[in-house]
Amino acid sequence: MSEIDDLINMIDGKMNDGVSRLKVGFSEDLKEGQKKEAYHHGRCDVGSPWATGTVGNCDAIDVDDE
């Protein structure tokens, strides 16, 4: 149960610090007890094609001609 309690405490701590959105995942690539955090300035998800600049259909550009 302590691992679950540790996770809940981590989430509560982030929320108390003003973090409004979290994406929590688990990976077998990290060593036990190791964590990795990523922060993104913007509205798109961390690691998404929009956030990484790898969107496949970005040839449609909206330009305002005045």
Side-chain angles (χ1 to χ4, degrees):
M1 286 301 265
S2 83
E3 290 178 356
I4 295 171
D5 291 334
D6 291 344
L7 179 61
I8 291 170
N9 289 333
M10 184 272 303
I11 293 171
D12 284 344
K14 293 291 184 185
M15 296 293 113
N16 290 335
D17 288 342
V19 175
S20 60
R21 295 174 63 190
L22 284 176
K23 179 178 180 181
V24 178
F26 299 90
S27 172
E28 292 181 4
D29 295 336
L30 298 176
K31 295 178 183 177
E32 186 174 338
Q34 185 180 15
K35 68 178 181 177
K36 178 181 174 184
E37 292 187 28
Y39 183 78
H40 180 65
H41 299 276
R43 302 269 319 157
C44 46
D45 294 329
V46 172
S48 75
W50 292 106
T52 59
T54 58
V55 174
N57 64 346
C58 60
D59 56 342
I61 300 173
D62 190 16
V63 178
D64 188 19
D65 293 323
E66 291 184 27

